[in-house]
Amino acid sequence: MNRETSRVPAPLLLPAALGVAFLLLPLVGLLVRTPWSQLGNQLAAPGVGEALRLSLLSATLATALSLLLGVPLAWVLARSRARGVSVLRALVTVPLVLPPVVGGVALFLVLGRQGIVGSWLDDAFGITIPFTTAAVVIAETFVAMPFLVISVEGALRAADARFEDVAATLGAGRWTTFRRVTLPLVAPGVAAGAVLCWARALGEFGATITFAGNFPGTTQTMPLAVYLALQRDPEAAVVLSVVLLAVSLATLLLLRDRWLGRGAA
Amino acid sequence: MSVAASVDAVRGSLRLQVEVTVADGEVLALLGPNGAGKSTFVRILAGLLRPDRGRVVVDGEIWDDGATFVPAHRRELGMVFQDALLFPHLSVADNVAFGLRTRGMRRGAARERAAGWLARVGLEELGDRRPAELSGGQAQRAALARALAGDPSLLLLDEPLSALDARTRLAVRAELRRHLAGFAGSTVLVTHDPVDALALADRVVVVEEGRVVQTGTPVEVSRRPRTDYVARLVGLALLPGTGAGMLVRLDGGGTVAVAEETSGPVFAAVRPESVALYPTRPAGSPRNVWPARVVAATPHGATVRCELAGQVPLVADVTAASFAEMGLAPGAEVWASVKASEVAVYAR
């Protein structure tokens, strides 16, 4: 049985269908143009494996860094009643709307050799960040961490805070309560946020190329490799894109089945 | 005495001013309507809220006096909430062991102790289950085991039975009674259900609008209620008035004949089963006869409880048979009579 009112009104049907086509056609086009017979050769080409490995590594490191910093930050945003928290929340989400290239420029100005922090790092420790793999990780973290923060903050707000009261009456201090009660309760939100964060980091382009450059082996991640390949060897670009598409789809499926399946779907 | 607490706090529009003491082994019930501040009070006892002014002393140890504030997790207490609030990510046994682990007991010992407590509340088979797999009654039993496992000196029960269906509530209440009898520390039970208070408590403190309006044993409180709220809860009609010898002049007008001499401000309390209803003015000369109108009728087992309006507002229980015979229904005009010896009268 279907609710009569849940049927789609006719005027919405056509735009909705066009929307689906608009989103799916490019992907279909990509798959149609993929030189499936040469897939093996292309993937084995020097540089491809390297870019893929670097992408996976840097996205994973960026996610780890985001977890380390973002979960505590989300807790503060969700629970702190201090003034200015709402301003802080707005600031934290700026990277979400900021063009990644601008983020890259900003990072460069702070962490570059002439930057405020960068010059000090250079003088004191002889550390240079731009154009290294570390710069890739930092650029990806900058862009991707807000996805994690927002997801975890939402989970924290939705979690029943009375469980924390119960934990307190059972002798658990705030830190114990956070580790043994709050964190497990919001684990699905943390996991979903981490996956989103990882997917965003994997696809990061603008901030990375600005701040970390495009050096094969150290800073050339998959998206950069795709862009570069498109100019020299379109067929290689298609192959690289298909690989990224496969990774993204796998992520999506993982998200849906594991964490979003219960509530949504 | 083991627990002494006085609290002065403002929460929203409510000013809470409550002072209680609870002896070792005693069960004190805080009885009152929703929003009276009962839960706020136990949350202050637990250290989950900090009062503006107040003093909580347990076994001679200051938990809260403005200067000293022992945080909740350092207080030796156990608390059971309305919804069992078992941690959903832990097994039932790990829930019960949680407090033991946080207080430093080794895993093996904690598990053993938790298993013992689960057996005591009749859940020995269910330790490996997830809380979501338990029924409401089972979950509340596990929550009780979790609260008691740490051997607290103060047990706080915040509406522990309210979320249960009627049949389960009966079983869990009986079980709770058994455990409270064996509990050496002090217990504070918060409830809006007089049956819980009467069945479980040694002493009842009635709280309305943030203030204590009556304190006494369950028998005292139910026989001699001091406010309309309690009277209604225990099914009595409460008639405030002024004693004048063998008569009470009611504040609302009219008089009630009583069996003992009184003077000054008094309450006259009438039990519903001692009110007789007649379709016409009864013959003979009963002294307490009033015209009344039935305003509500609710079945109560084999009897029907009729709320009466008139100069003397009463509640009457009549058998279902006579209810039908007399053709009673809301709106019916009747005569109500009570023997003077059936009216309880006590000083206000």
Side-chain angles (χ1 to χ4, degrees):
Chain A
M1 204 166 10
N2 282 316
R3 274 181 63 216
E4 193 56 22
T5 47
S6 65
R7 281 174 50 182
V8 185
L12 297 185
L13 217 51
L14 185 65
L18 283 176
V20 170
F22 177 71
L23 291 176
L24 286 185
L25 269 181
L27 300 182
V28 173
L30 187 62
L31 292 176
V32 168
R33 290 290 302 276
T34 303
W36 295 104
S37 54
Q38 296 176 40
L39 204 61
N41 288 341
Q42 288 282 5
L43 282 178
V48 174
E50 212 166 41
L52 186 59
R53 199 173 53 246
L54 182 67
S55 274
L56 297 178
L57 176 74
S58 56
T60 305
L61 286 175
T63 305
L65 192 58
S66 298
L67 281 168
L68 205 64
L69 305 178
V71 172
L73 178 56
W75 195 94
V76 170
L77 291 180
R79 293 292 159 81
S80 172
R81 295 222 206 121
R83 276 183 188 201
V85 166
S86 52
V87 177
L88 190 64
R89 180 179 303 115
L91 289 177
V92 164
T93 48
V94 162
L96 277 182
V97 292
L98 194 72
V101 177
V102 179
V105 171
L107 284 172
F108 198 80
L109 292 179
V110 173
L111 293 172
R113 210 180 271 216
Q114 311 296 323
I116 307 160
V117 179
S119 60
W120 173 74
L121 280 176
D122 196 15
D123 293 347
F125 307 102
I127 296 175
T128 329
I129 292 179
F131 310 119
T132 62
T133 305
V136 176
V137 174
I138 289 172
E140 290 181 353
T141 306
F142 180 81
V143 172
M145 188 163 79
F147 287 87
L148 179 97
V149 173
I150 283 183
S151 170
V152 176
E153 194 205 342
L156 280 168
R157 283 179 182 281
D160 192 338
R162 291 180 303 166
F163 285 114
E164 294 170 9
D165 287 346
V166 176
T169 68
L170 292 169
R174 283 185 220 177
W175 175 234
T176 309
T177 302
F178 177 75
R179 279 186 305 123
R180 301 211 37 212
V181 176
T182 314
L183 208 49
L185 281 177
V186 299
V190 174
V195 171
L196 275 177
C197 173
W198 189 80
R200 180 67 187 86
L202 192 71
E204 218 304 300
F205 180 85
T208 310
I209 202 165
T210 316
F211 182 50
N214 188 11
F215 302 106
T218 50
T219 72
Q220 192 183 74
T221 56
M222 285 293 275
L224 306 192
V226 170
Y227 181 71
L228 215 67
L230 195 59
Q231 293 167 349
R232 287 189 320 223
D233 178 4
E235 215 157 66
V238 172
V239 171
L240 290 172
S241 297
V242 166
V243 172
L244 272 184
L245 178 64
V247 174
S248 308
L249 283 179
T251 311
L252 204 66
L253 286 177
L254 205 67
L255 245 180
R256 193 185 148 81
D257 286 359
R258 277 264 180 86
W259 297 299
L260 299 183
R262 258 174 293 166
Chain B
M1 71 204 48
S2 150
V3 177
S6 65
V7 160
D8 189 340
V10 175
R11 195 159 168 78
S13 59
L14 183 78
R15 172 100 185 259
L16 180 69
Q17 284 178 297
V18 172
E19 197 170 339
V20 300
T21 57
V22 194
D24 273 337
E26 188 184 28
V27 179
L28 181 84
L30 287 183
L31 177 65
N34 290 330
K38 310 174 305 268
S39 288
T40 302
F41 184 74
V42 284
R43 290 174 69 78
I44 288 169
L45 287 185
L48 297 172
L49 284 176
R50 206 169 168 167
D52 307 322
R53 247 172 313 156
R55 195 177 158 78
V56 179
V57 181
V58 174
D59 289 336
E61 191 188 327
I62 293 172
W63 279 7
D64 190 348
D65 70 350
T68 311
F69 181 78
V70 179
H73 67 274
R74 297 231 173 78
R75 301 186 178 194
E76 272 184 31
L77 57 86
M79 187 158 175
V80 177
F81 297 77
Q82 177 173 339
D83 309 303
L85 293 180
L86 297 175
F87 301 125
H89 58 288
L90 297 178
S91 72
V92 173
D94 285 341
N95 262 282
V96 176
F98 187 92
L100 304 171
R101 295 281 293 138
T102 60
R103 292 180 172 115
M105 192 181 279
R106 295 192 165 278
R107 187 185 299 269
R111 290 195 148 246
E112 209 167 289
R113 184 108 177 246
W117 269 102
L118 282 175
R120 284 169 79 168
V121 297
L123 298 177
E124 59 268 60
E125 307 290 323
L126 306 179
D128 293 331
R129 298 265 181 101
R130 293 274 148 178
E133 298 172 72
L134 299 189
S135 71
Q138 290 169 336
Q140 204 53 293
R141 285 192 187 102
L144 179 67
R146 179 173 67 173
L148 285 174
D151 218 357
S153 45
L154 174 61
L155 177 65
L156 302 173
L157 306 169
D158 189 359
E159 301 274 8
L161 305 172
S162 315
L164 305 176
D165 62 72
R167 184 187 300 239
T168 314
R169 186 182 309 176
L170 214 60
V172 177
R173 185 188 293 132
E175 198 164 329
L176 190 56
R177 192 181 155 79
R178 198 159 53 74
H179 289 293
L180 290 180
F183 177 58
S186 312
T187 304
V188 176
L189 163 74
V190 162
T191 179
H192 68 271
D193 183 346
V195 181
D196 291 345
L198 303 186
L200 298 171
D202 300 312
R203 209 147 49 85
V204 178
V205 170
V206 183
V207 181
E208 284 177 48
E209 285 170 7
R211 283 165 190 276
V212 175
V213 293
Q214 187 170 7
T215 306
T217 64
V219 174
E220 280 165 14
V221 170
S222 57
R223 291 240 177 98
R224 307 187 142 198
R226 310 201 75 83
T227 66
D228 231 17
Y229 165 73
V230 185
R232 213 174 280 266
L233 282 183
V234 297
L236 288 177
L238 189 66
L239 308 168
T242 310
M246 305 293 277
L247 272 186
V248 173
R249 287 183 209 293
L250 300 181
D251 291 353
T255 58
V256 181
V258 294
E260 53 187 307
E261 209 155 312
T262 61
S263 65
V266 293
F267 282 121
V270 183
R271 280 179 295 134
E273 58 268 31
S274 49
V275 177
L277 296 186
Y278 302 93
T280 55
R281 189 184 176 98
S285 59
R287 284 183 297 159
N288 291 325
V289 179
W290 305 283
R293 188 163 40 83
V294 178
V295 289
T298 42
H300 238 252
T303 61
V304 180
R305 177 156 292 182
C306 303
E307 256 183 72
L308 306 177
Q311 194 173 39
V312 181
L314 289 170
V315 179
D317 279 354
V318 296
T319 62
S322 53
F323 184 82
E325 253 167 52
M326 288 169 63
L328 294 179
E333 303 287 340
V334 293
W335 289 83
S337 120
V338 184
K339 285 182 188 158
S341 58
E342 297 277 339
V343 179
V345 57
Y346 47 96
R348 265 204 263 179

